[in-house]
């Protein structure tokens, strides 16, 4: 039964994994997606995340639609060492910073540059420098539960973002757990932001867009920019955000049967937060550590920061994360989609048209308004 559900879900005729985001979700597909999500969770609970994380497919998108290029990036020489308030996190950040500085980090950083054909040419897409003094861009942080990267899988989505917003989209291919634990992903995306600024983009011309676990990383990066007293992006947009790694929100159980995300309690070593954090240092209360704003942005600043727009489905296991975040940040705008879960929030033309319209209005409205 399990293998049948997985095979049917991966069938090109019904699967988002073929990049068919505009196709409406059928009841059968949604049921299969939920069933597969719970199967994967059960296997992770039993065998660990290494046993269940699949290789993500790489959908083919015609050149006529737009351009995709993978470009390397490195930490700018002027990027300052991290200084944070927690000694354990400070030690981890210092280690990854020094390893990059000395060239000891495994696997160099790279990012995807996505550009709809209506926005720029192939040559322009390859040039990681502003096309004008006021070019506006999107830094897109993919999801994947901290343990896999949707960089390839969501090609169709960030190409559509480029088309809808009329901007180039830069997608860091950040490193994931369990091979690369916290704070490597944050460092990778922070460094990507600093690299783009170093290339000539103005921070106020950058919108940061994060999906699911990518929303967590995106918000953590903006918090780290504040801590480091660096310029922050113009706006932040998050979709189905995971912002509380203590997993204490009621929607994890309330929406269990309605959402693809299965629940593994935080205290389990195979849980998403514990895999992302990695080995716990001696004497560290990991539950208390998971409340740090760089791990759970919900517990970060509630004062002035970049304007924030939040998109969430009412049937998502992370629905309460989004509501709590909106309540925590006074200037946040929360947009909810009835009946949508963590899978269906990015499916269906009507759903996506509505989401992109909200994003377009939010991003194109001057901050002073």
């Amino acid at each position: 039964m399990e293998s049948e559900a997985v095979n049917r879900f991966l069938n090109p005729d019904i699967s988002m994994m073929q990049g068919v985001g505009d196709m409406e979700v059928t009841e059968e597909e949604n049921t299969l997606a939920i069933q597969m999500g719970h199967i994967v969770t059960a296997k992770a609970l039993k065998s660990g995340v290494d046993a269940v994380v699949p290789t993500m497919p790489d959908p083919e998108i015609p050149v006529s639609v737009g351009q995709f290029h993978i470009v390397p990036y490195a930490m700018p020489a002027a990027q300052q060492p991290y200084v944070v308030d927690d000694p354990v996190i400070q030690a981890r950040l210092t280690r990854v910073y020094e390893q990059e500085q000395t060239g000891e980090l495994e696997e160099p950083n790279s990012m995807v540059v996505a550009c709809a054909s209506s926005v720029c040419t192939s040559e322009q897409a390859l040039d990681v420098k502003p096309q004008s003094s006021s070019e506006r861009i999107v830094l897109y942080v993919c999801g994947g539960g901290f343990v896999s990267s949707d960089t390839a899988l969501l090609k169709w989505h960030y190409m559509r973002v480029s088309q809808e917003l009329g901007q180039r989209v830069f997608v860091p291919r950040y490193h994931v757990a369990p091979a690369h634990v916290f704070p490597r992903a944050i460092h990778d995306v922070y460094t990507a932001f600093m690299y783009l600024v170093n290339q000539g983009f103005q921070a106020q011309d950058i919108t940061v867009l994060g999906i699911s676990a990518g929303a967590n990383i995106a918000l953590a990066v903006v918090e780290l920019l504040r801590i480091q007293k660096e310029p922050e992006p113009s706006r932040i947009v998050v979709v189905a955000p995971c912002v509380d790694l203590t997993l204490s929100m009621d929607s994890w159980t309330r929406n269990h049967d309605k959402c693809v995300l299965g629940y593994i309690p935080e205290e389990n070593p195979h849980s998403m937060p514990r895999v992302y954090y990695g080995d716990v240092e001696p004497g560290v209360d990991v539950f208390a550590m998971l409340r740090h704003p760089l791990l759970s942005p919900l517990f970060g600043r509630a004062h002035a920061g970049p304007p924030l727009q939040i998109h969430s489905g009412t049937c998502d296991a992370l629905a309460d994360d989004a509501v709590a975040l909106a309540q925590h940040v006074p200037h946040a705008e929360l947009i909810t989609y009835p009946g949508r879960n963590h899978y269906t929030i990015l499916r269906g033309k009507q759903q996506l048209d509505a989401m992109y319209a909200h994003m377009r209005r939010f991003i194109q409205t001057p901050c002073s308004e």
Side-chain angles (χ1 to χ4, degrees):
M1 183 63 180
E2 289 185 3
S3 60
E4 179 185 351
V6 172
N7 289 336
R8 292 185 68 196
F9 181 73
L10 294 176
N11 186 304
D13 292 335
I14 63 171
S15 176
M16 181 181 75
M17 292 190 176
Q18 299 301 313
V20 287
D22 275 353
M23 292 179 63
E24 298 296 339
V25 181
T26 65
E27 184 176 346
E28 177 194 34
E29 180 187 357
N30 189 37
T31 300
L32 286 169
I34 293 171
Q35 185 178 0
M36 180 180 176
H38 292 184
I39 289 170
V40 167
T41 301
K43 288 185 175 180
L45 185 60
K46 180 179 179 180
S47 308
V49 71
D50 283 332
V52 298
V53 175
T55 300
M56 289 298 178
D58 192 349
E60 287 294 331
I61 296 181
V63 175
S64 59
V65 174
Q67 302 288 334
F68 294 92
H69 298 286
I70 297 176
V71 298
Y73 71 93
M75 187 170 71
Q79 185 167 319
Q80 296 298 306
Y82 301 113
V83 179
V84 298
D85 58 1
D86 184 276
V88 174
I89 295 178
Q90 175 68 63
R92 288 187 174 215
L93 282 167
T94 297
R95 182 164 58 250
V96 73
Y97 176 90
E98 291 178 348
Q99 286 175 334
E100 170 128 1
Q101 193 176 46
T102 58
E104 296 176 29
L105 273 184
E106 297 178 9
E107 304 176 19
N109 289 323
S110 63
M111 68 174 78
V112 173
V113 184
C115 182
S117 57
S118 58
V119 175
C120 66
T121 65
S122 176
E123 292 75 17
Q124 290 172 321
L126 270 171
D127 186 9
V128 190
K129 289 184 179 297
Q131 302 298 309
S132 70
S133 60
S134 59
E135 183 185 7
R136 301 176 71 181
I137 62 171
V138 175
L139 181 66
Y140 184 120
V141 190
C142 287
F146 304 103
V147 297
S148 66
S149 173
D150 291 345
T151 306
L153 175 60
L154 288 182
K155 262 186 176 182
W156 62 272
H157 187 238
Y158 50 79
M159 179 58 72
R160 179 77 178 271
V161 169
S162 174
Q163 184 180 47
E164 292 285 343
L165 300 181
Q167 299 178 16
R168 288 194 288 170
V169 177
F170 295 80
V171 190
R173 302 169 76 201
Y174 63 85
H175 294 79
V176 298
H180 304 280
V181 298
F182 170 85
R184 177 67 191 272
I186 293 174
H187 169 77
D188 289 349
V189 177
Y190 179 96
T191 297
F193 183 91
M194 297 301 295
Y195 175 80
L196 291 170
V197 171
N198 190 64
Q199 291 295 101
F201 292 99
Q202 300 298 310
Q204 63 265 26
D205 292 329
I206 301 175
T207 294
V208 173
L209 169 60
I211 311 291
S212 187
N216 178 300
I217 295 166
L219 290 166
V221 165
V222 175
E223 176 71 7
L224 191 55
L225 287 167
R226 180 192 70 83
I227 293 170
Q228 295 290 106
K229 296 182 171 55
E230 296 287 356
E232 298 177 32
S234 171
R235 290 168 176 78
I236 311 169
V237 178
V238 293
V239 179
C242 171
V243 293
D244 176 14
L245 290 190
T246 68
L247 307 186
S248 57
M249 296 293 171
D250 290 342
S251 54
W252 276 105
T253 52
R254 186 180 71 248
N255 287 337
H256 178 265
D257 294 334
K258 305 173 187 175
C259 187
V260 296
L261 296 180
Y263 177 63
I264 302 178
E266 167 276 326
E267 60 268 19
N268 189 292
H270 297 317
S271 69
M272 174 180 65
R274 294 291 295 274
V275 173
Y276 177 49
Y277 186 82
D279 293 337
V280 180
E281 291 83 355
V284 168
D285 179 345
V286 69
F287 187 80
M289 180 63 73
L290 289 174
R291 291 178 60 90
H292 191 280
L294 294 184
L295 284 153
S296 292
L298 175 62
F299 305 113
R301 58 176 162 174
H303 48 81
L308 172 65
Q309 186 182 71
I310 306 164
H311 298 261
S312 175
T314 58
C315 291
D316 197 328
L318 294 169
D320 288 356
D321 281 48
V323 172
L325 181 63
Q327 293 172 342
H328 183 68
V329 180
H331 56 274
E333 176 187 11
L334 173 63
I335 301 164
T336 57
Y337 303 94
R340 297 284 172 168
N341 62 30
H342 206 74
Y343 174 61
T344 58
I345 195 168
L346 290 180
R347 289 299 309 275
K349 187 176 189 308
Q350 184 176 0
Q351 164 68 16
L352 290 173
D353 283 349
M355 180 180 291
Y356 294 132
H358 286 302
M359 288 184 188
R360 200 162 45 242
R361 182 251 316 153
F362 177 70
I363 291 172
Q364 293 176 356
T365 300
C367 289
S368 57
E369 296 184 8

